[in-house]
């Protein structure tokens, strides 16, 4: 066993966390009779040697020994070893090779090429593993037939044989996925595989899930050939799967504490819970349907029809996964999503709190287009308060609590004051108050009730604890948006405390909040002035901006802004340029430097400086500013929101931008800063306005 294992200089190789000297021990542990020892070894292998799907030289060097373990009937849990082999091989192909099969050269080198070469040399062994007496081993090995076997005809023959021999749903899904992978990897066999898949999709003798899988994998092989009949056929098969897949309750997840523990910010705890929640798969067909949506791409109406069928399932897990896919579609692709928003809103009425919560989460993240769901959210919230009382925000049932909180947050993001009672209850009872704080700024019409409570919460934040930074920043952001200067004293106290405890992020947030209050924050000018010379990144420009907003003394601010324009930190240059643009013509002393910065090598600097140049000098600098803006937007479409804001100010002089504006609107994918739905919707709105005005 493991002949030659110790002839390899493992210690000279590195995995994700340093020396790979531990690899031999991990390989031996995978053969241990002790389940706990095997589990720890497998976790460590995935965590370090195959970290997040990476392939290092020691990962590739491990493959002969992993294959030996997989082939040895004495190895416990051989299926997990086979699954590890397939995972390493799939990652090696994805990371190490271009679509045309050319190996990508990395420095330092990865183990991708070595891994693929070895697995293809030994690809025939996956045929035997796919015929193993152990059904779990067979299931794990199926993917290897599509990935590693160079004899394409033999691979196709074995896959057809296995489909006839296997009866499990998971096996059929895996076999047909492997067939499509084989067709994509080996063009010579593609025609026979795609004909086989098309025939299976029409074969009434096959079960509906198998037929659906064949249809989807056929579409995956040739997305450009998806005909008008494919989606209706898929929808029909989805409806038939209701009888083939048993309805199961979504398994409960660990209940989170209502308050933070162990000094960890509650926002961080929640982020990890959300990550765990979104990596779970609740239905056996979810991966298959994701593949179908990927093949359909920008066909928004067709994908919405498929999602409608998914959400009509009586199985809560299928609905849950479909809701998440709906959110991904709306956040990624442009189009009329009204129908999909309403379909997601319909899921609020389900008896399953986790499904209802996920529907609310999607509506919240898609709030710029979620207005059609407003009444459904309000009705859902009122029904919960009527059934469970006014304190349902803090309900002991974790699922009910999350369902209510997420619906309230979604309604608040729509600016609807019917969310207010639950937000006030959260702030008064201090149960998950941070969740209420995050959306409180969306209700300026209720500032008189929210601001005193937020101010009191801010007063209680202990900035000697680093874990409270996120909470302080969120409260300050809400207060800035709500705009009631009554809280200036507590914001000023927070600024002093943040400086004292070197909480630089809170310092910057407090300065930005004081800027929003303008001259009403005059009492904080002393602290603000002291921070205009700060060396901490981004604190200094925030202090200069606050000095201008609160003090309004141009003679005091201009030297500071010119100094920031000369900084090497690009964020400082951009912040200074934005403030100069806000000041406008009185800031003309900055024009020479702004002109020079139009040749800066970073497009974001050029965008901010071009916009400032226009705001200060107007038509005299229109040509230079426009050229810089359009070149930057062409190079980096993420600048589009900033560019279009300036174009909107330029009026008829922005006419040369028309081709680029039309090109932006023709893109099916969302664009703008971070490609977020909020920025993209604003981008589309401004672009349409500009085109109508300039054309």
């Amino acid at each position: 066993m493991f002949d030659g294992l110790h002839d390899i200089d493992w210690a000279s190789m590195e995995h994700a966390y340093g020396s790979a000297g531990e690899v031999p021990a991990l390989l031996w542990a995978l053969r241990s009779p002790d389940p706990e020892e095997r589990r720890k070894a497998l976790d460590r292998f995935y965590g370090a040697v195959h970290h997040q799907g990476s392939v290092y030289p020691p990962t590739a060097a491990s493959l002969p020994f992993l294959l030996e373990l997989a082939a040895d009937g004495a190895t416990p849990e051989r299926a997990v070893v086979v699954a590890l082999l397939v995972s390493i091989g799939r990652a090696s192909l994805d990371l190490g090779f271009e679509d045309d099969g050319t190996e990508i050269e990395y420095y330092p080198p990865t183990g991708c090429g070595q891994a693929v070469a070895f697995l293809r040399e030994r690809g025939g062994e996956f045929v035997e593993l796919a015929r193993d007496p152990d059904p779990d081993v067979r299931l794990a090995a199926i993917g290897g037939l599509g990935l590693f076997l160079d004899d394409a005809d033999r691979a196709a023959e074995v896959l057809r044989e296995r489909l006839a021999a296997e009866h499990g749903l998971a096996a059929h899904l895996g076999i047909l996925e492997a067939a499509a992978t084989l067709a994509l990897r080996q063009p010579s066999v593609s025609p026979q595989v795609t004909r086989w898949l098309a025939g299976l999709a029409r074969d009434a003798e096959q079960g509906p899930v198998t037929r659906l899988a064949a249809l989807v994998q056929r579409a995956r092989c040739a997305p450009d050939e998806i005909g008008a009949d494919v989606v209706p056929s898929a929808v029909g098969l989805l409806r038939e799967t209701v009888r083939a897949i048993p309805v199961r309750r979504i398994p409960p997840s660990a209940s989170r504490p209502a308050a933070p523990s162990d000094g960890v910010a509650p926002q961080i705890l929640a982020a990890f819970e959300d990550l765990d929640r979104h990596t779970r798969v609740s239905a056996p067909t979810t991966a298959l349907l994701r593949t179908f949506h990927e093949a359909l791409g920008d066909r928004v109406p067709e994908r919405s029809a498929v999602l409608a069928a998914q959400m009509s399932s009586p199985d809560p897990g299928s609905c849950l996964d479909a809701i998440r896919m709906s959110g991904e579609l709306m956040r990624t692709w442009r189009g009329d999503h009204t129908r999909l928003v309403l379909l997601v809103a319909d899921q609020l009425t389900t008896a399953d709190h986790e499904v209802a919560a996920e529907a609310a989460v999607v509506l919240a993240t898609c709030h710029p287009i979620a207005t059609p769901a407003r009444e459904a959210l309000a009705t859902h919230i009122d029904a919960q308060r009527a059934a469970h009382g006014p304190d349902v925000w803090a309900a002991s049932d974790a699922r009910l609590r999350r369902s209510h909180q997420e619906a309230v947050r979604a309604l608040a993001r729509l600016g609807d004051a019917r969310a207010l009672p639950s937000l006030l209850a959260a702030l008064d009872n201090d149960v998950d108050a941070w969740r209420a704080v995050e959306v409180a700024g969306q209700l300026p019409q209720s500032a008189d009730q929210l601001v005193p409570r937020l101010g009191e919460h801010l007063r209680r934040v202990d900035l000697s604890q680093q874990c409270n930074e996120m909470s302080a920043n969120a409260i300050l952001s809400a207060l800035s948006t709500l705009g009631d200067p009554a809280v200036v004293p507590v914001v000023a106290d927070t600024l002093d405390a943040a400086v004292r405890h070197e909480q630089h992020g809170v310092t910057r947030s407090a300065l930005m909040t004081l800027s929003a209050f303008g001259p009403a924050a005059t009492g904080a000018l002393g602290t603000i002035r002291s921070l205009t010379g700060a060396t901490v990144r981004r604190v200094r420009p925030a202090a200069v901006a606050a000095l201008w907003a609160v003090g309004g003394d141009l003679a005091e601010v201009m030297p500071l802004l010119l100094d920031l324009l000369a900084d090497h930190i690009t964020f400082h240059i951009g912040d200074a340029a934005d403030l100069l643009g806000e000041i406008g013509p009185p800031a003309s002393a900055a024009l020479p430097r702004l002109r020079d910065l139009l040749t800066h090598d970073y497009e974001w600097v050029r965008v901010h400086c071009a916009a400032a140049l226009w705001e200060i000098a107007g038509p005299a600098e229109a040509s230079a500013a426009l050229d810089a803006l359009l070149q930057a937007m062409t190079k980096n479409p993420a600048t589009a929101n900033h560019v279009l804001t300036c174009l909107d100010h330029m009026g008829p002089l922005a006419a040369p931008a028309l081709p680029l504006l039309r090109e932006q609107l023709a893109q099916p994918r969302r664009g703008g800063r971070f490609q977020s739905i909020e920025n993209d919707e604003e981008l589309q709105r401004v672009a349409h306005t500009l085109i109508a005005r300039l054309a």
Side-chain angles (χ1 to χ4, degrees):
M1 191 69 172
F2 291 168
D3 186 30
L5 177 66
H6 297 291
D7 295 338
I8 297 172
D9 186 2
W10 296 98
S12 69
M13 295 186 280
E14 290 193 349
H15 55 44
Y17 297 108
S19 171
E22 65 181 312
V23 171
L26 295 178
L27 291 169
W28 277 112
L30 290 175
R31 200 169 185 266
S32 168
D34 181 1
E36 183 62 16
E37 185 178 355
R38 293 197 305 272
R39 184 192 65 78
K40 288 180 179 178
L42 188 68
D43 287 349
R44 179 62 180 173
F45 202 102
Y46 271 107
V49 190
H50 189 33
H51 176 69
Q52 294 182 353
S54 297
V55 179
Y56 308 95
T59 322
S62 302
L63 290 175
F65 309 106
L66 290 172
L67 193 56
E68 190 174 352
L69 281 170
D72 184 0
T75 301
E77 296 182 297
R78 286 189 301 136
V80 300
V81 179
V82 177
L84 177 57
L85 281 163
V86 173
S87 177
I88 293 170
R90 181 178 283 112
S92 298
L93 285 164
D94 290 344
L95 299 173
F97 293 82
E98 302 284 5
D99 290 340
D100 62 3
T102 305
E103 186 173 355
I104 301 170
E105 293 186 10
Y106 289 100
Y107 186 82
T110 67
C112 293
Q114 180 186 347
V116 170
F118 171 79
L119 289 169
R120 285 186 171 163
E121 178 186 342
R122 306 284 291 274
E125 296 185 36
F126 283 88
V127 174
E128 300 311 313
L129 291 169
R131 292 167 170 162
D132 194 89
D134 184 335
D136 292 332
V137 170
R138 297 199 303 271
L139 181 61
I142 284 168
L145 298 175
L147 292 166
F148 312 131
L149 197 59
D150 280 337
D151 186 339
D153 290 326
R154 185 185 182 202
E157 179 185 352
V158 174
L159 288 169
R160 286 193 294 268
E161 167 206 302
R162 296 321 307 160
L163 186 72
E166 299 285 355
H167 301 290
L169 176 61
H172 278 210
L173 293 174
I175 290 164
L176 296 176
E177 179 185 0
T181 299
L182 176 67
L184 290 167
R185 184 173 68 86
Q186 299 270 37
S188 65
V189 80
S190 181
Q192 66 163 291
V193 170
T194 52
R195 282 195 301 271
W196 179 51
L197 291 171
L200 286 171
R202 295 189 299 268
D203 186 355
E205 296 299 315
Q206 301 292 335
V209 179
T210 300
R211 293 177 63 197
L212 177 64
L215 182 147
V216 168
Q217 298 300 343
R218 171 68 181 84
R220 176 188 165 207
C221 290
D224 294 339
E225 298 176 10
I226 295 175
D229 62 326
V230 171
V231 167
S233 296
V235 168
L237 289 168
L238 268 171
R239 291 181 177 136
E240 288 186 47
T241 63
V242 169
R243 296 188 297 273
I245 300 176
V247 174
R248 297 190 179 109
R249 185 174 180 272
I250 299 170
S253 55
S255 176
R256 62 175 176 81
S261 58
D262 300 325
V264 179
Q267 297 90 335
I268 299 295
L269 291 173
F272 276 102
E273 288 167 1
D274 286 342
L275 182 63
D276 175 66
R277 192 177 288 116
H278 284 271
T279 54
R280 284 188 232 137
V281 174
S282 303
T285 55
T286 293
L288 175 69
L289 291 166
R290 283 192 179 281
T291 297
F292 193 35
H293 284 289
E294 289 168 9
L296 289 169
D298 63 354
R299 298 172 174 91
V300 169
E302 290 90 337
R303 291 181 64 178
S304 297
V306 175
L307 288 164
Q310 291 177 244
M311 282 187 276
S312 69
S313 171
D315 176 49
S318 297
C319 293
L320 183 67
D321 292 343
I323 290 167
R324 288 177 182 149
M325 291 185 213
S326 299
E328 291 161 11
L329 172 63
M330 292 188 283
R331 291 189 296 268
T332 304
W333 299 97
R334 294 171 173 172
D336 183 356
H337 294 298
T338 303
R339 179 192 179 200
L340 199 51
V341 166
L342 292 172
L343 286 169
V344 171
D346 286 344
Q347 299 299 316
L348 294 167
T349 60
T350 180
D352 191 297
H353 294 310
E354 188 158 351
V355 172
E358 201 60 39
V361 167
V362 166
L363 294 172
T365 59
C366 297
H367 66 90
I369 60 170
T371 300
R374 182 192 299 269
E375 293 307 317
L377 283 164
T379 300
H380 176 60
I381 291 165
D382 286 345
Q384 287 182 320
R385 290 174 64 85
H388 303 285
D391 295 327
V392 62
W393 175 279
S396 57
D397 182 330
R399 291 190 176 199
L400 171 61
R401 182 170 72 240
R402 179 170 176 262
S403 171
H404 183 75
Q405 290 181 2
E406 297 298 355
V408 169
R409 283 155 56 91
L411 190 61
R413 287 192 185 280
L414 294 173
D416 195 310
R418 285 175 287 184
L420 185 63
S422 289
L423 296 182
L424 296 181
L427 294 171
D428 290 341
N429 299 328
D430 203 16
V431 174
D432 291 336
W434 66 272
R435 290 179 175 270
V437 169
E438 289 185 340
V439 297
Q442 308 299 316
L443 299 176
Q445 69 271 43
S446 304
D448 59 328
Q449 297 183 72
L450 289 166
V451 168
R453 291 170 167 88
L454 291 170
E456 185 56 35
H457 274 269
L458 183 60
R459 195 184 305 279
R460 295 201 302 264
V461 173
D462 180 6
L463 290 180
S464 68
Q465 302 297 313
Q466 187 68 35
C467 64
N468 291 328
E469 177 184 0
M470 295 177 73
S471 294
N473 287 342
I475 297 171
L476 288 164
S477 176
L479 290 172
S480 177
T481 305
L482 294 172
D484 186 343
V487 294
V488 165
V490 69
V491 174
D493 289 345
T494 300
L495 176 61
D496 291 338
V499 172
R500 187 166 62 253
H501 293 292
E502 298 184 346
Q503 290 265 27
H504 305 307
V506 179
T507 299
R508 183 170 183 271
S509 294
L511 287 166
M512 294 169 67
T513 303
L514 291 171
S515 293
F517 295 134
T522 302
L525 269 174
T527 305
I528 293 170
R529 281 196 180 93
S530 71
L531 292 169
T532 58
T535 58
V536 178
R537 187 176 184 177
R538 303 213 72 172
V539 167
R540 184 157 56 109
V544 174
L547 184 63
W548 168 250
V550 177
D553 187 338
L554 185 63
E556 183 180 19
V557 169
M558 277 304 296
L560 298 170
L561 287 171
L562 293 173
D563 187 46
L564 284 170
L565 279 184
D567 206 316
H568 68 282
I569 298 175
T570 56
F571 288 117
H572 288 185
I573 299 171
D575 289 347
D578 288 348
L579 184 52
L580 288 163
E582 181 183 326
I583 294 170
S588 59
L591 287 174
R593 176 60 178 159
L594 289 170
R595 291 189 193 103
D596 290 343
L597 287 167
L598 293 186
T599 61
H600 196 280
D601 58 1
Y602 187 38
E603 63 273 6
W604 276 106
V605 169
R606 300 198 299 273
V607 165
H608 288 285
C609 291
L613 195 64
W614 162 261
E615 297 295 346
I616 296 169
E621 296 289 347
S623 178
L626 187 61
D627 285 347
L629 291 169
L630 298 187
Q631 288 174 16
M633 184 169 153
T634 301
K635 179 179 181 180
N636 184 357
T639 63
N641 290 100
H642 286 73
V643 170
L644 264 63
T645 298
C646 186
L647 295 178
D648 194 28
H649 295 172
M650 294 177 76
L653 293 173
L658 274 170
L660 192 55
L661 294 173
R662 292 191 176 106
E663 183 182 316
Q664 274 284 323
L665 288 180
Q667 299 298 319
R669 277 188 178 271
R670 294 205 177 273
R673 191 82 187 273
F674 308 122
Q675 294 183 304
S676 72
I677 188 170
E678 192 164 11
N679 287 333
D680 181 67
E681 287 294 316
E682 177 65 9
L683 171 64
Q684 291 185 72
R685 185 191 66 77
V686 177
H688 280 297
T689 301
L690 282 169
I691 290 171
R693 184 192 304 158
L694 298 173

